[in-house]
Amino acid sequence: MEYPKFTQEHKSLMAKYLTKDVFDSLKDKKTVNGFTISDVVNSGVQNPDSGIGAYAGDEESYTTFAPFFDPIIEEYHGFTKNDKHQSDLNPDNLDAKNPDPDNKFIVSTRIRVGRNVDNMPLGPAITKEQRDEIEKVVSTTLSSLEGSLKGKYFPLDGMSKEDQDALIKDHFLFKEGDRFLETAGLNRNWPLGRGIYHNTEKTFLVWVNEEDQLRIISMQQGGDIKEVFTRLTTAIGELEKKMKFSFNEHLGYITSCPTNLGTAMRASVHIAVPKLAADMEKFKAICDKHHLQIRGIHGEHSESEGGVYDISNKRRLGVTEVQCVQDMYDGVVELIKVEKSLA
Ligand code: ADP
Ligand code: CIR
C-alpha cells in the first residue's frame, strides 16, 4: 500500500491530515470488514476538489483509524476525542416561529437525518447480500407506518428514467452517479438495493441505501421549520420502535461520512437572498457566524439559481438536534433581516 500522491489541487481535510507518518502507522491495519486506510481516503484522493475526502466502512473504522479521523472530526465539528455527544429530539425545546409567514424569502424547508442499521457494515464496505437484506427490512418496516407517515416504497431498479429525473429535479430523490460516492465504493451494484419511500404529499421521505442506509427526510414548502422538525422526530420515534440504529456514546449516530456523525442532521431552507448574495463576503460572514453552510439548490456541489441558496447547519456532532435546527433558524432570521434592509 503506497502513500497517495497529492497535488496542489488536493485541498480536503483528508489531504491535510493524512501525513506520511499517519499513513505509515495505519497502512497495515484492517477493520473486521476488511476496510483499510486506502479505502477510507480513496474518494478524496480521486477527487482533489473534495472538502473532506474520507468515508468510513464501518463503525470500527473510526477507532481503527482514529489518528486520521479524530483531527478531521475536531476541525469540522469542533468536537474532541474526549467529548460526549448529546441528543435532544424534543420539538418543544425548539424556538422557531415561522420567520417568513408571507412566503417572501423561504421557498422550502427540509430536515434530514442519516441512520445506519446496527451491526452491519456501512455502505462503503457492505456486501450486495447485506445491502439487499437492509432494503428488505427497511421497506417492510416503512410499510407498517400509519397516518400521515403512511406511504409506498419505490425501488430504483425498475423505476422509469422520467420518474427518476422528475423526483430528482423536484428535490425528492438522490441523484445518480455522484463521483464522490462512486469512488467511496458507495455506488456498487447500482441501482440494486436502492429506493425511496414517501407519503402521498411527499412531506415524509426515506432514501434507502444511498450514502447512508437510511436518510429520513421531512420537507415542505415555506418556512414552518418547527412543523418540519416535529414530523421528522415523530417518524424517527416510530422507526426506532422497530429498528436499532448504529449509535455510540462518543460519536452519536454512526454515518459513512464523518461530517454527518452525531445527530446526522442537516436542516436546510431554500431561501431567496439575491441582494445579499451580490456581496458574497458579507453573505458568507453571516453564515459563518451562525455555523451555516451554503449550497446550491440541487444539493451539495451544485450552483444557486436566481439568488436562491440552500442554507443549513454545519455542525452535527456535540450539538443536539434541537441546536442544529436552532443554528439554522437563527441564521435564517438574520439573513432575512439583512436582505430586507437591502431592499
Ligand atoms: P443531503 O441529503 O445530504 O442533505 P444534498 O445536499 O445532495 O444532500 O440534497 C439532497 C436533495 O435535497 C437535493 O435535491 C436538494 O436540492 C434537496 N434539498 C435540500 N434542502 C432543501 C430544501 N430546503 N428544500 C427543498 N429541497 C431541498
Ligand atoms: C467532499 O469531501 O466534498 C464530499 N465527500 C462530501 C463531504 C460532505 N460534505 C459536507 O460538507 N457535509
Side-chain angles (χ1 to χ4, degrees), residues 12 43-44 47 49-55 76 112 178 180-181 211 257-260 266 293 295 300-301 314 316:
S12 62
S43 185
N47 296 287
D49 56 338
S50 294
I52 312 300
Y55 290 88
Y76 184 87
R112 60 84 165 157
D178 182 274
F180 300 88
L181 301 189
E211 180 176 318
C257 177
T259 65
N260 284 320
R266 191 168 86 88
Q293 190 180 53
R295 296 186 181 187
E300 187 155 36
H301 312 111
K314 181 164 184 274
R316 310 193 219 289

Side-chain angles (χ1 to χ4, degrees), residues 142-175:
L142 288 168
S143 70
S144 71
L145 292 175
E146 310 261 5
S148 62
L149 302 179
K150 192 176 168 65
K152 202 174 161 219
Y153 178 69
F154 302 88
L156 207 55
D157 186 32
M159 188 183 288
S160 76
K161 179 96 177 72
E162 295 85 69
D163 286 352
Q164 188 184 347
D165 288 348
L167 285 170
I168 294 171
K169 186 177 142 285
D170 294 337
H171 310 289
F172 296 122
L173 180 63
F174 46 87
K175 50 193 185 213

Side-chain angles (χ1 to χ4, degrees), residues 256-319:
S256 62
C257 177
T259 65
N260 284 320
L261 289 165
T263 59
M265 173 172 282
R266 191 168 86 88
S268 67
V269 289
H270 278 181
I271 184 168
V273 283
K275 295 194 181 71
L276 174 57
D279 184 350
M280 249 314 157
E281 224 168 279
K282 187 167 174 184
F283 183 25
K284 281 208 177 106
I286 297 174
C287 290
D288 284 347
K289 180 174 135 198
H290 293 280
H291 311 285
L292 301 181
Q293 190 180 53
I294 306 173
R295 296 186 181 187
I297 64 154
H298 292 289
E300 187 155 36
H301 312 111
S302 73
E303 299 297 320
S304 160
E305 280 171 24
V308 179
Y309 290 82
D310 171 331
I311 302 295
S312 63
N313 62 296
K314 181 164 184 274
R315 305 183 294 178
R316 310 193 219 289
L317 173 63
V319 288

Side-chain angles (χ1 to χ4, degrees), residues 197-215:
Y197 172 94
H198 62 76
N199 65 359
T200 329
E201 302 80 41
K202 299 200 188 83
T203 53
F204 169 63
L205 307 96
V206 180
W207 293 357
V208 179
N209 286 322
E210 195 242 7
E211 180 176 318
D212 289 303
Q213 289 152 10
L214 294 92
R215 283 286 172 95

